[in-house]
Every structure is written in C-alpha cells, then in structure tokens.
Amino acid sequence: MDSLCTSVFETVFKRSTAGGYLLSPTPEFRILAVNDTFLEATGRTRAELLGVPLFEAFGARPGDEGGVHALRASLLKVLVTGEPDMLTVQRYPIPVIAADGSRHFEERYWSALNTPIPGPDGALACISHSTIDVTDVVRLRSQARQSADEVARVRAEADLANRAQLLHEVNRALEAERGRLAHLFEHAPGFVYFTEGAAHRIVQANRALSALAGPRDLVGCTLAEAFPGEGAQAFRDLHDEVWRSGKPRVAGALPLLLRDAAAARSLVLEVALQPVLDRLQQVTGICVQGHDITERQQALARLAELNASLEAQVHERTAQLLELAEREHAILTSAASAIIATDLAAQVTSFNPAAEAMLRVPAVQALGNSALAFFDVAELLEHAAALPQEVRDNAQALPPPLQDAMRRPPQQPGHVRTEWTFVRGDGTRFPGLMNISVLRDSHGQAIGFLGVLTDLTERRALEEALRQRSTQAEAASRAKSAFLAHMSHELRTPLNAVIGLSQLLRLRELPEDVGRFVGHIHDAGEQLLALVSDVLDLSRIEAGELRLEEAAFDLAPLLDTVLAMVRPQANAKGLALMVDIAPALQLRLIGDALRLRQVLLNLLGNAVKFTAAGSVTLRLRVQAAGAGNALLRLDVVDTGIGIAPEQQRHIFEPFTQADDSITRRYGGSGLGLSIVRRLVHMMKGTLSVQSQPGQGSTFSVELPFRVA
Ligand code: ADP
C-alpha cells in the first residue's frame, strides 16, 4: 500500500464508525487496508483479508449473487469513470462463526459508497469503500410494511363495524325521530287528523281531536258521524269544498255546535284543511289541523266589553273632572277674596278676578311676576319670621334676603301674622288679611304657595267709626253722670231743708192730721235723700270721680258704729243681730273707712230688710296677706227670703231688683248692691252671694288692706 492510501486509511477509515476498506484500482480489487469496524462487523481478521482479492474473501453464497454483482458493477464503474458511486441497501449475507465453531450465513443489508482516490499524478491510486450496516433499518422497514398491512386490514374491519354501528345509529335516530313525530302528532296542542274519501272517513287523529269531540275516539268514523247536526254543517261544508276543489282552505273563526247526551257546546275553531293528492293529482283525503279558540274568542269579547266599560268610565271621569274644573274656575272667578297661587319662587301662576280688582292689576300682567311685589317689602322683611311655619319651611326658592329675615327670632314667638299692608298696581296701599298656605301635589310634595286675601279697608273704617262712637258714648255717659252727680248734689240742699224744717215742725204742737202729714213729709224726705245719695255715688263712680281715701282707721269702732245704725231696725222687727268676730281684732288699717262702712251698711241693711224672722249675723275673719297686709273677709248672713239662682246674676246691676213685687213690699231703688260691687272692685276686693230661696242669703266680701 503506497503512502497516499496509507494516509487515506489513517485519516478516514481508522477512526470511522462506518466499516470500510481500501481496494487496489485493479479489476481483482485486492484489499489494501481494512478498518476495525469492518472487521468487527464481518468477524474477520486483518491478516485474513489484507492482499486478498475482495470477491475471493467475500464470495457469494449460491442463490445470493445479486448483492455481489451489484458491488462488483459499482466498483468497475468507479474504476472506469473515476466518479464515486453509491450502493443503497444491498442484501449481503455474512458468514458467521457460532460459539460451537460452526459457520453459517447471516442475512445482512448494507449501504456503501465507493470513492475513487486519485494519486498526485491524477491517476487512480485506490478505491475507498465505506459501508454502513443498514440491516436494522431494512428489518424495521419490513416490519413496518407488515404493520401497515395489518393496520389496513384492521382498518377495513373497523370500517365495516363502524358502518354497521352507523347504520344502527341512523336507525335509532330515525326511530327516535319517528317516535318524536308521533308524540308531537299525538300531543300537539291543536287537533290534527287525516280523512279519506268523499265521506271524509277519519283514518288518523290525535288526542286533541278526541278531547274536542267528546272525549271519544273518532278514528274510523266519517265526518258526519263524528260531527253530526245542524251546528256542524259549516264545518262539514268546508271539508266538502276542499274535496271538490282540491284547494287548501283556512277558516279563522268557524262556529261549531257540538251536541252530546249531556249538553250542547258552542265552540269556535281556527282550522286549516290541506288536500292530500295522489300521483295523478287526485284528491284522496284531507289533512286537517286546527285549534279550539273558544276561550280566546270569549276573552277577546270580554276584553272588548272591558274596553268599552273602561272607555265609558274614562268618559264619565273626564266629564266629572271637567265639571270640577269648571266649578273650581267658577269659585275662583266669583270668589270675593283675592286668590293668588304662585310657584315656590313666588312667581304668580293663578290670579283670580277678585285679585285683579283688589290689587288693580290685570291677570295677564301679574302672571309670571313675583307676588312679593304686592307686599310692603319693608314690612314683609321686618315681620317675615311671623309667616306661617309651613311657608318658612318651604322657602328655599324665595329671595335670600327674605329667607334670612324668616330665620330671625320672631318678635312674638308663636304668633302668625295675617294682617299685612298690600300695594296695588297703582302704588296705593291698603290693609289686608292674607292666609298663606303651601300648595302640594297629590304626593304631598310642595309645589307653590296659595294666598287668600281679603281687603280690610272697610272693616278698618267700621272699627274706627265704632271706636269713635264708643268714645262719643263714653263722653255722653260721663256727661250724664256728671249731670246726675251735679243734680244730686243740687237736690240735697233743698232736701236737707225739707227734712230739717219738717223735723222742726214735728217738735211743735200741731193739729193731729197736720202732725201726720209733717211726719210723712219728713220720711219721704229721708227716702229721697237716701236715693239721691245713692244716685250721686253711682254717678260719681261711673264718671270716675269717686276717689278712695287712704287713711289709718281702727276697725273695731267702725264695726260698732255700723251695728249701732242697723240695730234699731233689727230690734223693731224682732230680729237677733249677732256678731261673730275672731278675737284679737284691735286692727288699725289703712284705707277708706267711709266706703267700708257704706258697704257693710248696705249689706246689713238689706239683710234686715229682707228677713222677717230669725237673725242677721256679721262674721269677720282676718287673714294675713304678706308683710303689712291683711285680707278682711266679711260675711253677712241672714235667715230671710233668699234669692232665686237665676236672679243672683242680676242683682248687682243698677236699678235691678230680684222681683218686681219687692219694690212694692220692701221699697228700695235697686242701686245698693251695684254701688257695693263697684266700691268693692275699686278697693280691689271681691263680692259674692250664696242664697237659697226661703232659707236666707250670705253676702261675702273680701277686701285687702294695708296694716297701719
Ligand atoms: P234695693 O234698694 O232694692 O235693696 P239692692 O241693690 O240693695 O237694691 O238690692 C237689689 C235686690 O237684691 C233687692 O231688690 C232684692 O231683691 C235683692 N236682695 C238684696 N239683698 C238681699 C237679701 N239679703 N235677701 C234677699 N234679697 C236680697
């Protein structure tokens, strides 16, 4: 082996994992070198092979010559053309020595590359043969081929099974579908049936039809048997028509009267008839489908009725509302008070004719403008806190200064001001009474204000006239009292002369009848003087001319004097005059002793006068009323004729007596008690009476005095 081949062997073969050898560039192809991989694969030794022609070392087994030929042809091709040549998958049996030393051939497959190796002179130096054992690949491929066949077979079998399964599934689905359709047919909400022949014999029908007809099974019946009678004539005619014409028919609301043993039922049907045609387009039967729409029709009828009644109600209500609106309008129009409605910002929304007249502004001008313009703004701001609470609670949309004014503490807490000064369109002012309230919608939501205004001008004028008249009357009354006082005073002087002179005359020796006349003149004079005194007192009190004294006096001597003055009359009538005075009465009081004496004299005098038998008692109690003050309680108790309850109220009025007969029986003017009452009031005391007719009376006086 020359150096080139040696280097090729060293560089290429020695380390190669592919088996390989170098051959001489001669037709006998001697083995020049061989690598270990090849030796291992073939089970040969290098000594065995080197220098030996290739086809002697690896001869063909009889019957397996193909591989050897292919190798030789390839090598020859390389030798001749100088081009590399590839041999793919060659069967090449290898002689193998078993462990027991016997030899046999093992089937192996190789792929090989024969490459010409030129020398430095360009001439072929050797041929390299490198080979890869592809036995495993070939075997695998063969196995794969076998598997593929198997797969194909299995697939074919599976295909058959699948087809059978599929068929089964299709059958099942069809069966299910058929069942579903039958179910649908049977349970369809409407009725469905098929007829055959001119007599319309029913050949198939669902439950809805049996339910409609009875319930009974109608299959096998003719239409006339299933639906007999006059009431079904229109229904049967429709079938005849389709049978004759071969055209479908639809009826939207077909009446059908069904009669059975129990009752007759009147139905309304919605029905569609479809002719069933054969191949020659001849009608063989009819497919009928429909619904019982009786209830729907009834509901529709009811609905129509309801609608009609609703419409009538709406009509009626509208009429009522119109009437109400008219009435409201009439009220607004004819109201004597001005009625002004505003929104929450006080913009006028309604202004009635009275408002137009009172405020002298036409409604068209007032509407949309602020109602606050009709107020005296200064007065409104000053007294805003006295506007009604609900108005102040809904003032959010009113002008801010007014809201501020509403929040100020009111001048009179709790007082709601209704009298305001109003300003007319022409700027003139008038006093008015306005009730303001909050307008609310049907949900109670505040939507504005309502003011009802009355003009107080006339009332004020009337009040003023009355005030003037009462002043005049008072002045007249005072003048009368003054006149009376004056007259009384003037009367006293001549009366005193009459009394005095008649008293003097009585002291003279006079003829008997003259003496009696003089006595009468004297008594009449005394009575007249008492009356004049009373009139004078009352007049002075009423004219406000009576002034009370403020002087210290002792109570005990005053009482003694009074009792001494009354005692003669009491004695004359045989009455017991009793005194019930609490001890320690050495009181010195400050006040008008004369008037106190007058009060007591009057009460005691009356008690004696109106008591025929029994007693008259003066009872006195003193209650301390704070430092330096005393409250005197005086009761004059008699056992006389008493006073009826209905008279008790009047006896304190001037010139009033309990009974007309009293004047005749007891005399008197009816002035005493009214003077007493006025005096007691002037002295800041109280006067009361308790009396039972026939059982006596008790007059009680309570008077405050300062203690001296
Ligand atoms: P008069 O001068 O008539 O007594 P008064 O004003 O003193 O007038 O009394 C008014 C009337 O009250 C009397 O007329 C009498 O009817 C009734 N009256 C007053 N005091 C008594 C009394 N003690 N008992 C019964 N009636 C009395």
Side-chain angles (χ1 to χ4, degrees), residues 606 609-610 638 643 651 656-658 662 668-670 672-673 697 699:
N606 275 349
K609 186 158 92 176
F610 296 106
D638 66 50
I643 309 160
I651 53 173
T656 306
Q657 294 178 322
I662 286 190
S669 61
L673 284 181
S697 313
F699 283 82

Side-chain angles (χ1 to χ4, degrees), residues 534 602-603 606-611 636 638 640-643 650-659 662-663 666-675 691 696-699:
D534 280 353
N602 255 300
L603 295 178
N606 275 349
V608 171
K609 186 158 92 176
F610 296 106
T611 305
V636 177
D638 66 50
I641 60 170
I643 309 160
H650 304 298
I651 53 173
F652 298 104
E653 288 163 21
F655 304 105
T656 306
Q657 294 178 322
D659 193 327
I662 286 190
T663 323
Y666 302 97
S669 61
L671 285 178
L673 284 181
S674 53
I675 292 171
S691 184
S697 313
T698 300
F699 283 82

Side-chain angles (χ1 to χ4, degrees), residues 400-545:
L402 185 55
Q403 289 187 44
D404 292 344
M406 284 177 177
R407 283 193 283 269
R408 277 204 298 270
Q411 291 169 359
Q412 290 168 268
H415 166 74
V416 175
R417 188 183 174 98
T418 49
E419 291 186 19
W420 301 87
T421 304
F422 290 89
V423 183
R424 298 190 185 93
D426 58 12
T428 54
R429 288 157 185 263
F430 67 97
L433 177 87
M434 183 176 257
N435 284 304
I436 312 174
S437 54
V438 171
L439 278 175
R440 294 180 189 279
D441 63 14
S442 55
H443 307 292
Q445 187 70 37
I447 52 168
F449 302 106
L450 180 74
V452 180
L453 170 63
T454 314
D455 190 339
L456 291 180
T457 312
E458 271 182 34
R459 195 193 294 178
R460 283 284 154 81
L462 213 64
E463 280 169 5
E464 177 58 23
L466 273 176
R467 203 179 53 75
Q468 278 178 10
R469 225 172 283 164
S470 96
T471 315
Q472 284 166 1
E474 271 170 33
S477 164
R478 268 202 305 279
K480 180 203 76 184
S481 299
F483 169 76
L484 275 177
H486 184 69
M487 281 303 290
S488 307
H489 183 71
E490 293 302 313
L491 279 171
R492 275 186 198 215
T493 318
L495 259 180
N496 278 331
V498 170
I499 292 166
L501 290 174
S502 58
Q503 183 65 23
L504 285 176
L505 272 177
R506 280 171 103 178
L507 298 174
R508 300 265 173 101
E509 278 291 317
L510 294 172
E512 193 198 325
D513 55 343
V514 175
R516 226 181 28 253
F517 294 154
V518 170
H520 287 318
I521 290 170
H522 182 265
D523 289 351
E526 287 279 0
Q527 275 180 24
L528 200 56
L529 185 63
L531 178 66
V532 167
S533 295
D534 280 353
V535 170
L536 180 64
D537 280 348
L538 194 64
S539 306
R540 285 173 62 194
I541 291 169
E542 291 202 332
E545 287 175 5

